[in-house]
C-alpha cells in the first residue's frame, strides 16, 4: 500500500477569491502579518501495491485531466512511502 | 530591474521589438514610430498593441459601423448615442435606460466557466460606468452540435459560469437564446447583455476633464490575468487543433463586483465624480487613454502606485492586465478624501494613480522613470482603420439556389406523418424547453421581473409606483444570415422588434453583437458589410436607433467561419407592466388568431435543419412596413384589452408557437388548419411578421377590424378549450392530437438528457 498525494492550486497569477476571503477573516480575528492566502485542494490516493513509474504516469494524467483544470490550476504529485 | 524608458527609446532607436508577437503588423509598428517620432518604449508598445487590436480598435469594422450613425432615424428618445460605454434611452417620467450586449466568445471556449462569468462582469461594469443601476442580464448563446462530446463541457461550464456570477451579483437573468449548430463547434458564442436604469440627471460619461483632477483606480488589485488576452486571444483565429496559446485566464469575483456596483453608484450619486470608466479589455491602457482622449487631453500616471496582487509584475504587464472588477474615476482634488471614504466603507481598495493635466500627452512614470509619453488620441481613437476587401463568395449562388422544395426535401404529407414530425420537432434541441438552463439562473431576484424565459421578451418593472417598465429581447437566426446576410440581419432585428411588441412594449432602441469569422477573409467581410447595411437600413425604416454594440471577429476554426451571427437586441418601453401580454392562453372559449401571412418559406428553417440537416435557398421575405404595422396591432390590441395572450411565430413555425402556448397554459385547444393551404407549410413555415394572438370571444370583431385598419392579415384558426390536448383538424383530411403532458415531457427531457 502506498499513498500518492495530488495537490491542486490556482496558478499564482490567477485571482483566488476564496483565499482572499480567508485572509480577510484573519484580519478580523486579530491575526496580523499574513500578507497573502492561497487556497488549494488535496487528493490522497491510496494505491494497491507499489507505485511503479507507469502507475505514476497514469496518476499524473488523471491529475491533469480530472483533478485539475490546467487552464487555471497547477498540480503536484507526490508519492508517500 | 531596468525598465525601457522614453530616454533610452530616444537614444537607442535600433532595438528589435516583438511587435509581431504582440499582434501588430509591420505597417502598424511603423505608424507608431511615425506618431512618436522614435521607437516606442516596451510599455508604449504594449499599450498600442492592445488598443490597436481588432477587439479594442474596431479597425476592420469601423468603416461599416459608421452607417449606424449616418442612418440614424429621427427618434428623440436617445440621450446618449454610440461611442460611450453604452447608449442611453429616455423611457419617460424622468427615467433613462442603458443597455448593451458584448461578446466573450474566445475566453469562454478556453475556460467556459470563467469566460462566461467574466463576460457578465464586464458588461455590468459598462452599465455602472454610465451611472445606471444594473437591473437585469440576458445571454444569447451559441453552441456546437448537441451530441458532439466537447459540447457538453462547453455548455455546462458556460451555463454554470453565467449562473454563478449573475446569481452572486443578485441580477435576474431574464432571457436570451440557446442555439446549437455544428458551425459553432470550436467557437461557441457567449454574448452578454445588461440593462441598467437611472434618472436622467444621473447619466455619467467617460472623460477626464478638469486640469488638476485626480485619477483614481479602485476595485480589485491588478494581477497577471488575461495579459494580452485582447490582442492575442480575441483577435486571432484558433488553430484547428484547439487553442494553442493559453494566456492566463481572468477569474472573476462576483462579490467584489457587487461591492463595486454599490460603491460606484454611491460616489456617483454623491456627486464626487467628474468622469468614470470601467476596466475591461486592455485594462489600464484603455481606461487612461480613453479618459484622457475624451477629456482635455492630458494625463500623468504614476504606474508604481497601482496596487498589485503579484509584486513581480512588470510595468508592461500592469498596463495590459485584464484583472477583473476594477474601475477608474476622475475626481476633483477636494473630493478625493470623500471618495476614498466611500471606497473604505464598501471595503474596496482605491489609490490615486494619476492627474489630469493640459499637456495633451498621456505620460506614465515607473519609479521616477518616464516609460510612456504618447498623444492619448493616437492610442484610444486614432488607431488603424482598414478598408478590408470584401466580395460576395462564389458559393452563395449554389447555396441560394438549393431551395428546400417539396421535391428536394421530403415533407410529411399525411396526418400520421405530421404527428410524427410534431413530436420530433418539439424535441429538437433548438426548440426544446430551455428550463434546464434557465432554472440555473436566478430570474426573479430584486423582485421586479415581470416576464422571463420562456416568454417572448424579458420584462422588468422600472418604476414601482407607476408600473412603468421595459422589455428586452435578443434574436438571431444565423442560418438566415448564412443564406443572405443582409436580409438575415433584418430578420433578426424584425424578430427582436416583434418579440418586444408582442409583450405590449413599444420598441425604442437597438443594440447588437455582431459575431463573424475572420475579417481577413473577403467572404466573411462581405457577410459583415451586408449584415451591417441590412441592420442600419432596417433601423432607419423602423425609426429605432442603434445605441451601441459590439463586434466579435475571428470566430473561426482553420478556414471555416461560423455562420454570420448578428445578434440583435431591442429594448421597448411599457407604460404599465400590469398591462403586459403574456404568451399563455387563459380560458376555454377564447379565440385563436394567426396574424400575418404564411408562405411556403422553409429555407433556413428549424425543420430543414433538424429533419434534413439542410441549409439552402432564400430566407423568408421581409416587408418592414408590414412588420411595423403588426407591432402597432399588437400594441393597440394589448392596450385596449382586445387580446389576452400573444406569441411570436419564429423558429419552428406555427406548430411550435401553438405547442409553447399550450404547455405554458397547461390547457388544450383545437386548431382548424386552413383548407386553402398545405398543412405542413402552415405548421412549419417560418415566414416573417407573424404572431398568434388570443382574444376573448366577444372581441373577435374588434380585433379583425383593428387588423384590417393596419392591413394585417388575420385568420381565425381555432379556440381554447377545457381539454388537456392540442388538437389539429384538417391535417391532410385527418386529425392530429397530442396531449400537453406528452409534448411537455418530450420538450423538457432534451437538455437534461444531453447535458444533465
Amino acid at each position: 500500500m502506498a499513498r500518492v498525494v495530488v495537490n491542486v492550486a490556482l496558478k499564482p497569477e490567477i485571482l483566488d477569491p476564496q483565499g482572499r476571503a480567508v485572509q480577510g477573516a484573519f484580519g478580523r480575528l486579530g491575526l496580523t502579518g499574513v500578507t497573502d492566502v492561497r487556497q488549494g485542494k488535496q487528493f490522497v490516493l491510496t494505491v494497491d501495491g507499489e507505485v511503479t513509474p507507469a502507475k505514476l504516469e497514469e496518476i499524473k494524467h488523471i491529475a491533469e485531466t480530472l483533478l485539475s483544470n490546467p487552464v487555471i490550476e497547477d498540480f503536484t504529485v507526490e508519492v508517500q512511502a | 530591474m531596468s525598465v525601457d524608458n522614453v530616454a533610452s527609446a530616444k537614444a537607442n532607436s535600433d532595438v528589435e521589438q516583438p511587435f509581431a508577437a504582440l499582434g501588430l503588423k509591420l505597417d502598424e509598428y511603423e505608424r507608431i514610430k511615425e506618431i512618436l517620432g522614435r521607437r516606442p518604449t516596451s510599455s508604449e508598445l504594449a499599450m498600442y498593441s492592445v488598443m490597436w487590436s481588432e477587439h479594442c480598435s474596431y479597425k476592420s469594422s469601423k468603416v461599416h459601423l459608421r452607417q449606424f450613425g449616418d442612418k440614424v432615424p429621427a427618434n428623440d428618445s436617445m440621450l446618449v448615442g454610440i461611442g460611450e460605454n453604452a447608449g442611453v434611452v429616455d423611457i419617460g417620467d424622468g427615467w433613462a435606460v442603458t443597455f448593451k450586449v458584448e461578446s466573450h466568445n474566445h475566453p469562454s471556449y478556453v475556460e467556459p466557466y470563467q469566460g462566461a462569468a467574466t463576460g457578465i462582469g464586464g458588461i455590468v461594469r459598462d452599465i455602472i460606468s454610465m451611472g445606471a443601476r444594473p437591473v437585469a442580464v440576458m445571454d444569447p448563446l451559441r453552441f456546437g452540435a448537441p451530441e458532439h462530446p466537447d459540447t457538453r463541457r462547453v455548455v455546462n461550464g458556460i451555463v454554470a459560469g453565467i449562473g454563478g456570477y449573475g446569481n452572486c451579483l443578485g441580477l435576474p437573468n431574464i432571457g436570451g437564446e440557446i442555439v446549437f449548430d455544428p458551425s459553432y463547434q470550436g467557437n461557441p458564442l457567449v454574448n452578454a447583455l445588461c440593462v441598467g436604469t437611472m434618472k436622467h440627471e444621473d447619466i455619467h460619461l467617460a472623460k477626464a476633464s478638469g486640469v488638476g483632477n485626480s485619477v483614481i483606480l479602485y476595485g480589485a488589485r491588478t494581477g497577471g490575468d488575461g495579459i494580452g488576452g485582447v490582442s492575442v486571444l480575441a483577435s486571432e483565429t484558433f488553430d484547428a487543433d484547439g487553442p494553442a496559446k493559453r494566456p492566463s485566464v481572468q477569474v472573476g469575483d462576483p462579490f467584489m463586483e457587487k461591492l463595486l456596483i454599490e460603491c460606484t453608484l454611491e460616489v456617483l450619486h454623491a456627486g464626487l465624480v467628474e468622469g468614470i470608466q470601467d476596466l475591461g479589455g486592455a485594462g489600464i491602457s484603455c481606461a487612461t487613454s480613453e479618459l484622457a482622449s475624451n477629456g482635455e487631453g492630458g494625463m500623468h500616471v504614476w504606474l508604481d502606485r497601482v496596487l498589485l496582487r503579484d509584486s513581480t509584475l512588470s510595468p508592461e504587464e500592469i498596463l495590459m492586465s485584464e484583472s477583473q472588477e476594477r474601475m477608474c474615476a476622475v475626481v476633483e482634488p477636494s473630493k478625493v478624501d470623500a471618495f476614498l471614504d466611500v471606497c473604505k466603507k464598501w471595503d474596496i481598495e482605491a489609490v490615486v494613480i494619476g492627474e489630469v493635466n493640459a499637456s495633451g500627452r498621456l505620460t506614465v512614470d515607473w519609479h521616477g522613470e518616464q516609460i510612456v509619453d504618447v498623444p492619448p488620441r493616437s492610442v484610444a481613437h486614432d488607431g488603424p482603420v482598414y478598408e478590408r476587401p470584401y466580395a460576395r463568395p462564389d458559393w452563395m449562388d449554389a447555396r441560394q439556389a438549393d431551395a428546400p422544395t417539396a421535391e428536394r426535401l421530403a415533407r410529411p404529407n399525411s396526418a400520421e406523418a405530421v404527428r410524427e414530425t410534431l413530436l420530433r420537432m418539439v424535441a429538437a434541441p433548438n426548440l426544446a424547453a430551455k428550463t434546464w438552463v434557465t432554472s440555473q439562473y436566478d430570474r426573479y431576484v430584486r423582485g421586479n421581473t415581470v416576464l422571463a424565459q420562456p416568454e417572448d421578451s424579458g420584462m422588468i418593472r422600472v418604476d414601482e409606483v407607476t408600473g412603468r417598465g421595459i422589455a428586452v429581447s435578443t434574436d438571431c437566426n444565423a442560418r438566415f444570415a448564412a443564406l443572405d446576410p443582409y436580409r438575415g440581419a433584418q430578420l433578426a432585428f424584425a424578430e427582436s422588434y416583434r418579440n418586444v411588441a408582442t409583450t405590449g412594449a413599444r420598441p425604442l432602441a437597438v443594440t447588437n453583437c455582431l459575431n463573424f469569422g475572420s475579417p481577413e477573409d473577403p467572404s466573411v467581410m462581405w457577410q459583415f458589410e451586408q449584415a451591417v447595411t441590412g441592420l442600419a437600413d432596417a433601423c432607419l425604416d423602423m425609426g429605432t436607433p442603434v445605441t451601441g454594440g459590439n463586434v466579435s471577429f475571428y470566430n473561426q476554426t482553420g478556414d471555416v467561419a461560423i455562420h454570420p451571427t448578428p445578434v440583435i437586441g431591442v429594448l421597448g418601453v411599457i407604460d404599465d407592466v400590469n398591462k403586459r401580454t403574456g404568451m399563455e392562453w387563459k380560458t376555454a372559449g377564447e379565440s385563436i388568431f394567426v396574424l400575418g401571412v404564411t408562405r411556403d418559406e422553409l429555407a433556413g428553417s428549424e425543420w430543414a435543419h433538424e429533419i434534413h440537416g439542410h441549409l439552402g435557398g432564400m430566407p423568408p421575405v421581409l416587408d418592414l412596413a408590414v412588420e411595423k404595422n403588426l407591432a402597432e396591432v399588437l400594441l393597440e390590441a394589448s392596450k385596449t384589452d382586445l387580446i389576452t395572450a400573444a406569441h411570436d411565430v419564429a423558429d419552428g413555425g406555427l406548430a411550435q408557437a401553438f405547442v409553447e402556448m399550450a404547455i405554458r397554459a397547461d390547457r388544450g385547444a383545437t386548431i382548424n388548419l386552413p383548407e386553402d393551404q398545405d398543412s405542413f407549410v402552415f405548421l412549419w413555415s417560418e415566414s416573417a411578421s407573424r404572431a398568434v394572438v388570443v382574444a376573448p370571444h366577444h372581441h373577435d370583431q374588434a380585433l379583425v377590424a383593428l387588423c384590417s385598419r393596419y392591413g394585417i392579415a388575420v385568420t381565425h384558426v381555432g379556440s381554447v378549450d377545457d381539454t388537456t390536448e392540442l388538437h389539429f383538424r384538417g391535417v391532410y383530411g385527418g386529425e392530429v392530437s397530442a396531449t400537453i403532458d406528452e409534448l411537455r415531457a418530450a420538450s423538457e427531457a432534451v437538455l437534461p438528457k444531453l447535458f444533465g
Side-chain angles (χ1 to χ4, degrees), chain B residues 70-90:
Chain B
D70 296 343
K71 294 181 185 170
V72 65
N75 179 324
D76 49 14
S77 62
M78 188 128 108
L79 299 172
V80 175
I82 299 175
E84 284 294 334
N85 284 313
V88 181
V89 181
D90 176 19

PDB file of all heavy atoms in Angstrom, chain B residues 70-90:
ATOM      1  N   ASP B  70     -24.768  57.328 -39.414  1.00  0.00           N
ATOM      2  CA  ASP B  70     -25.211  58.102 -40.577  1.00  0.00           C
ATOM      3  C   ASP B  70     -26.700  57.900 -40.864  1.00  0.00           C
ATOM      4  O   ASP B  70     -27.383  58.806 -41.312  1.00  0.00           O
ATOM      5  CB  ASP B  70     -24.415  57.690 -41.825  1.00  0.00           C
ATOM      6  CG  ASP B  70     -22.937  58.015 -41.669  1.00  0.00           C
ATOM      7  OD1 ASP B  70     -22.625  58.827 -40.775  1.00  0.00           O
ATOM      8  OD2 ASP B  70     -22.113  57.462 -42.418  1.00  0.00           O
ATOM      9  N   LYS B  71     -27.172  56.677 -40.625  1.00  0.00           N
ATOM     10  CA  LYS B  71     -28.566  56.389 -40.965  1.00  0.00           C
ATOM     11  C   LYS B  71     -29.451  56.445 -39.721  1.00  0.00           C
ATOM     12  O   LYS B  71     -30.403  55.695 -39.592  1.00  0.00           O
ATOM     13  CB  LYS B  71     -28.672  54.995 -41.596  1.00  0.00           C
ATOM     14  CG  LYS B  71     -27.968  54.881 -42.940  1.00  0.00           C
ATOM     15  CD  LYS B  71     -28.117  53.505 -43.530  1.00  0.00           C
ATOM     16  CE  LYS B  71     -27.312  53.361 -44.808  1.00  0.00           C
ATOM     17  NZ  LYS B  71     -27.243  51.968 -45.289  1.00  0.00           N
ATOM     18  N   VAL B  72     -29.087  57.314 -38.796  1.00  0.00           N
ATOM     19  CA  VAL B  72     -29.830  57.321 -37.546  1.00  0.00           C
ATOM     20  C   VAL B  72     -31.207  57.959 -37.754  1.00  0.00           C
ATOM     21  O   VAL B  72     -31.332  59.033 -38.324  1.00  0.00           O
ATOM     22  CB  VAL B  72     -29.025  58.027 -36.436  1.00  0.00           C
ATOM     23  CG1 VAL B  72     -28.821  59.494 -36.739  1.00  0.00           C
ATOM     24  CG2 VAL B  72     -29.679  57.846 -35.085  1.00  0.00           C
ATOM     25  N   PRO B  73     -32.257  57.266 -37.370  1.00  0.00           N
ATOM     26  CA  PRO B  73     -33.602  57.801 -37.569  1.00  0.00           C
ATOM     27  C   PRO B  73     -33.929  58.900 -36.559  1.00  0.00           C
ATOM     28  O   PRO B  73     -33.296  58.995 -35.511  1.00  0.00           O
ATOM     29  CB  PRO B  73     -34.493  56.581 -37.338  1.00  0.00           C
ATOM     30  CG  PRO B  73     -33.710  55.682 -36.468  1.00  0.00           C
ATOM     31  CD  PRO B  73     -32.259  55.934 -36.755  1.00  0.00           C
ATOM     32  N   ALA B  74     -34.901  59.718 -36.932  1.00  0.00           N
ATOM     33  CA  ALA B  74     -35.360  60.742 -36.007  1.00  0.00           C
ATOM     34  C   ALA B  74     -36.057  60.048 -34.851  1.00  0.00           C
ATOM     35  O   ALA B  74     -37.083  59.412 -35.027  1.00  0.00           O
ATOM     36  CB  ALA B  74     -36.318  61.687 -36.726  1.00  0.00           C
ATOM     37  N   ASN B  75     -35.485  60.143 -33.691  1.00  0.00           N
ATOM     38  CA  ASN B  75     -36.064  59.489 -32.523  1.00  0.00           C
ATOM     39  C   ASN B  75     -35.532  60.263 -31.337  1.00  0.00           C
ATOM     40  O   ASN B  75     -34.340  60.247 -31.055  1.00  0.00           O
ATOM     41  CB  ASN B  75     -35.610  58.020 -32.491  1.00  0.00           C
ATOM     42  CG  ASN B  75     -36.154  57.272 -31.285  1.00  0.00           C
ATOM     43  OD1 ASN B  75     -36.280  57.826 -30.203  1.00  0.00           O
ATOM     44  ND2 ASN B  75     -36.467  56.007 -31.466  1.00  0.00           N
ATOM     45  N   ASP B  76     -36.426  60.989 -30.673  1.00  0.00           N
ATOM     46  CA  ASP B  76     -35.926  61.886 -29.637  1.00  0.00           C
ATOM     47  C   ASP B  76     -35.713  61.188 -28.304  1.00  0.00           C
ATOM     48  O   ASP B  76     -35.441  61.811 -27.306  1.00  0.00           O
ATOM     49  CB  ASP B  76     -36.858  63.103 -29.477  1.00  0.00           C
ATOM     50  CG  ASP B  76     -38.307  62.673 -29.348  1.00  0.00           C
ATOM     51  OD1 ASP B  76     -38.522  61.464 -29.111  1.00  0.00           O
ATOM     52  OD2 ASP B  76     -39.201  63.518 -29.499  1.00  0.00           O
ATOM     53  N   SER B  77     -35.810  59.851 -28.291  1.00  0.00           N
ATOM     54  CA  SER B  77     -35.634  59.171 -27.014  1.00  0.00           C
ATOM     55  C   SER B  77     -34.160  58.885 -26.699  1.00  0.00           C
ATOM     56  O   SER B  77     -33.820  58.505 -25.601  1.00  0.00           O
ATOM     57  CB  SER B  77     -36.413  57.855 -27.006  1.00  0.00           C
ATOM     58  OG  SER B  77     -35.916  56.999 -27.993  1.00  0.00           O
ATOM     59  N   MET B  78     -33.283  59.119 -27.694  1.00  0.00           N
ATOM     60  CA  MET B  78     -31.881  58.770 -27.471  1.00  0.00           C
ATOM     61  C   MET B  78     -31.178  59.893 -26.717  1.00  0.00           C
ATOM     62  O   MET B  78     -31.093  61.016 -27.183  1.00  0.00           O
ATOM     63  CB  MET B  78     -31.192  58.550 -28.805  1.00  0.00           C
ATOM     64  CG  MET B  78     -29.809  58.010 -28.632  1.00  0.00           C
ATOM     65  SD  MET B  78     -29.567  56.552 -29.599  1.00  0.00           S
ATOM     66  CE  MET B  78     -28.488  57.172 -30.855  1.00  0.00           C
ATOM     67  N   LEU B  79     -30.664  59.593 -25.538  1.00  0.00           N
ATOM     68  CA  LEU B  79     -29.982  60.603 -24.728  1.00  0.00           C
ATOM     69  C   LEU B  79     -28.476  60.548 -24.928  1.00  0.00           C
ATOM     70  O   LEU B  79     -27.807  61.560 -24.957  1.00  0.00           O
ATOM     71  CB  LEU B  79     -30.308  60.398 -23.245  1.00  0.00           C
ATOM     72  CG  LEU B  79     -31.795  60.514 -22.873  1.00  0.00           C
ATOM     73  CD1 LEU B  79     -32.013  60.105 -21.432  1.00  0.00           C
ATOM     74  CD2 LEU B  79     -32.291  61.930 -23.096  1.00  0.00           C
ATOM     75  N   VAL B  80     -27.932  59.360 -25.042  1.00  0.00           N
ATOM     76  CA  VAL B  80     -26.503  59.186 -25.295  1.00  0.00           C
ATOM     77  C   VAL B  80     -26.372  58.134 -26.386  1.00  0.00           C
ATOM     78  O   VAL B  80     -26.983  57.081 -26.304  1.00  0.00           O
ATOM     79  CB  VAL B  80     -25.752  58.706 -24.032  1.00  0.00           C
ATOM     80  CG1 VAL B  80     -24.293  58.430 -24.356  1.00  0.00           C
ATOM     81  CG2 VAL B  80     -25.868  59.718 -22.912  1.00  0.00           C
ATOM     82  N   GLY B  81     -25.594  58.469 -27.414  1.00  0.00           N
ATOM     83  CA  GLY B  81     -25.516  57.562 -28.552  1.00  0.00           C
ATOM     84  C   GLY B  81     -24.261  56.717 -28.565  1.00  0.00           C
ATOM     85  O   GLY B  81     -23.587  56.534 -27.554  1.00  0.00           O
ATOM     86  N   ILE B  82     -23.947  56.220 -29.741  1.00  0.00           N
ATOM     87  CA  ILE B  82     -22.809  55.324 -29.936  1.00  0.00           C
ATOM     88  C   ILE B  82     -21.512  56.006 -29.526  1.00  0.00           C
ATOM     89  O   ILE B  82     -21.349  57.197 -29.707  1.00  0.00           O
ATOM     90  CB  ILE B  82     -22.722  54.924 -31.420  1.00  0.00           C
ATOM     91  CG1 ILE B  82     -23.997  54.197 -31.814  1.00  0.00           C
ATOM     92  CG2 ILE B  82     -21.510  54.065 -31.700  1.00  0.00           C
ATOM     93  CD1 ILE B  82     -24.071  53.877 -33.278  1.00  0.00           C
ATOM     94  N   GLY B  83     -20.593  55.240 -28.988  1.00  0.00           N
ATOM     95  CA  GLY B  83     -19.277  55.778 -28.682  1.00  0.00           C
ATOM     96  C   GLY B  83     -19.000  55.783 -27.196  1.00  0.00           C
ATOM     97  O   GLY B  83     -17.881  55.602 -26.767  1.00  0.00           O
ATOM     98  N   GLU B  84     -20.043  55.977 -26.397  1.00  0.00           N
ATOM     99  CA  GLU B  84     -19.837  55.893 -24.955  1.00  0.00           C
ATOM    100  C   GLU B  84     -19.834  54.422 -24.559  1.00  0.00           C
ATOM    101  O   GLU B  84     -19.996  53.539 -25.390  1.00  0.00           O
ATOM    102  CB  GLU B  84     -20.950  56.657 -24.237  1.00  0.00           C
ATOM    103  CG  GLU B  84     -20.780  58.179 -24.283  1.00  0.00           C
ATOM    104  CD  GLU B  84     -19.540  58.649 -23.504  1.00  0.00           C
ATOM    105  OE1 GLU B  84     -19.114  57.956 -22.576  1.00  0.00           O
ATOM    106  OE2 GLU B  84     -19.006  59.715 -23.853  1.00  0.00           O
ATOM    107  N   ASN B  85     -19.687  54.172 -23.256  1.00  0.00           N
ATOM    108  CA  ASN B  85     -19.663  52.788 -22.802  1.00  0.00           C
ATOM    109  C   ASN B  85     -20.930  52.053 -23.205  1.00  0.00           C
ATOM    110  O   ASN B  85     -20.902  50.886 -23.533  1.00  0.00           O
ATOM    111  CB  ASN B  85     -19.483  52.744 -21.286  1.00  0.00           C
ATOM    112  CG  ASN B  85     -18.044  53.046 -20.897  1.00  0.00           C
ATOM    113  OD1 ASN B  85     -17.118  52.493 -21.482  1.00  0.00           O
ATOM    114  ND2 ASN B  85     -17.861  53.941 -19.974  1.00  0.00           N
ATOM    115  N   ALA B  86     -22.058  52.757 -23.147  1.00  0.00           N
ATOM    116  CA  ALA B  86     -23.328  52.169 -23.568  1.00  0.00           C
ATOM    117  C   ALA B  86     -24.279  53.313 -23.892  1.00  0.00           C
ATOM    118  O   ALA B  86     -24.187  54.389 -23.320  1.00  0.00           O
ATOM    119  CB  ALA B  86     -23.903  51.292 -22.446  1.00  0.00           C
ATOM    120  N   GLY B  87     -25.186  53.088 -24.838  1.00  0.00           N
ATOM    121  CA  GLY B  87     -26.161  54.116 -25.195  1.00  0.00           C
ATOM    122  C   GLY B  87     -27.217  54.282 -24.108  1.00  0.00           C
ATOM    123  O   GLY B  87     -27.452  53.376 -23.317  1.00  0.00           O
ATOM    124  N   VAL B  88     -27.822  55.449 -24.064  1.00  0.00           N
ATOM    125  CA  VAL B  88     -28.843  55.711 -23.053  1.00  0.00           C
ATOM    126  C   VAL B  88     -30.121  56.191 -23.740  1.00  0.00           C
ATOM    127  O   VAL B  88     -30.088  57.030 -24.630  1.00  0.00           O
ATOM    128  CB  VAL B  88     -28.373  56.778 -22.038  1.00  0.00           C
ATOM    129  CG1 VAL B  88     -29.445  57.004 -20.978  1.00  0.00           C
ATOM    130  CG2 VAL B  88     -27.066  56.363 -21.392  1.00  0.00           C
ATOM    131  N   VAL B  89     -31.245  55.639 -23.305  1.00  0.00           N
ATOM    132  CA  VAL B  89     -32.526  55.929 -23.930  1.00  0.00           C
ATOM    133  C   VAL B  89     -33.494  56.473 -22.880  1.00  0.00           C
ATOM    134  O   VAL B  89     -33.535  55.969 -21.755  1.00  0.00           O
ATOM    135  CB  VAL B  89     -33.116  54.620 -24.530  1.00  0.00           C
ATOM    136  CG1 VAL B  89     -34.434  54.905 -25.215  1.00  0.00           C
ATOM    137  CG2 VAL B  89     -32.134  53.988 -25.498  1.00  0.00           C
ATOM    138  N   ASP B  90     -34.264  57.488 -23.278  1.00  0.00           N
ATOM    139  CA  ASP B  90     -35.286  58.069 -22.414  1.00  0.00           C
ATOM    140  C   ASP B  90     -36.529  57.189 -22.461  1.00  0.00           C
ATOM    141  O   ASP B  90     -37.040  56.889 -23.538  1.00  0.00           O
ATOM    142  CB  ASP B  90     -35.603  59.478 -22.933  1.00  0.00           C
ATOM    143  CG  ASP B  90     -36.725  60.132 -22.153  1.00  0.00           C
ATOM    144  OD1 ASP B  90     -37.007  59.680 -21.031  1.00  0.00           O
ATOM    145  OD2 ASP B  90     -37.316  61.099 -22.679  1.00  0.00           O
TER     146      ASP B  90
END
